[in-house]
Amino acid sequence: MASIFSKIINGEIPCYKIAENEDYFAFLDINPVQKGHTLVVPKIEKDYIFDYDPEYYAGLWKFAQKIAAAQKKALPCKRIGIAVIGLEVPHAHIHLVPLTNEGDLDFDASKKKTLPAEEMVEIAEKIKKEL
Ligand code: AMP
């Protein structure tokens, strides 16, 4: 069965999309640990990020680099932190999280936010403008 991220990529489930190319897709995390928290997802579905073909894997990080540059310009932060977890959704993805302090990259469930839809749209638009 297709993962929830494949369903997002195929347009079957809505998302706050940031960018897409032939191979990769980026959208806002629905429960961000910080505002602007973005997921970068390979269109080929594999559970574990290190199982991809090396070239395709390298392309994922190249795509993520562009998204992170746009996030950094668009949002108030010192830098963009990276995490690869994958314990919840078995479709590999990179978390890109705007950071100001070390503790900002904390995935404890109690730290996750639910923002109003209008704010998610506004954040996505800000990031997209910087791409
Ligand atoms: P993990 O698999 O542990 O890296 O975490 C999966 C991440 O995907 C979590 O941060 C969730 O908030 C996020 N997530 C799950 N479902 C959706 C969705 N439908 N849209 C956006 N983000 C999602």
Side-chain angles (χ1 to χ4, degrees), residues 58-77:
L60 174 67
W61 288 99
K62 204 170 161 189
F63 184 76
Q65 188 177 30
K66 285 189 193 150
I67 306 296
Q71 285 174 289
K72 189 158 179 293
K73 279 190 206 158
L75 304 165
C77 63

Side-chain angles (χ1 to χ4, degrees), residues 22-96:
E22 198 187 329
D23 292 319
Y24 313 105
F25 196 100
F27 53 98
L28 294 182
D29 194 295
I30 202 72
N31 292 125
V33 298
Q34 302 298 331
K35 291 182 182 184
H37 176 177
T38 297
L39 302 177
V40 178
V41 184
K43 290 188 177 178
I44 295 174
E45 188 179 325
K46 282 185 192 277
D47 179 5
Y48 190 46
I49 195 165
F50 295 120
D51 284 340
Y52 287 99
D53 155 84
E55 234 175 82
Y56 188 78
Y57 170 83
L60 174 67
W61 288 99
K62 204 170 161 189
F63 184 76
Q65 188 177 30
K66 285 189 193 150
I67 306 296
Q71 285 174 289
K72 189 158 179 293
K73 279 190 206 158
L75 304 165
C77 63
K78 281 195 180 160
R79 55 181 55 219
I80 304 302
I82 293 169
V84 177
I85 307 172
L87 292 173
E88 185 186 319
V89 177
H91 181 156
H93 51 281
I94 299 171
H95 295 260
L96 297 177

Side-chain angles (χ1 to χ4, degrees), residues 86-127:
L87 292 173
E88 185 186 319
V89 177
H91 181 156
H93 51 281
I94 299 171
H95 295 260
L96 297 177
V97 181
L99 302 179
T100 302
N101 301 300
E102 197 182 343
D104 290 347
L105 195 64
D106 183 347
F107 287 81
D108 187 282
S110 66
K111 304 277 169 54
K112 290 186 153 194
K113 307 174 201 306
T114 305
L115 303 176
E118 310 82 66
E119 193 174 0
M120 293 290 272
V121 169
E122 198 180 306
I123 291 168
E125 288 304 320
K126 276 189 192 165
I127 299 171

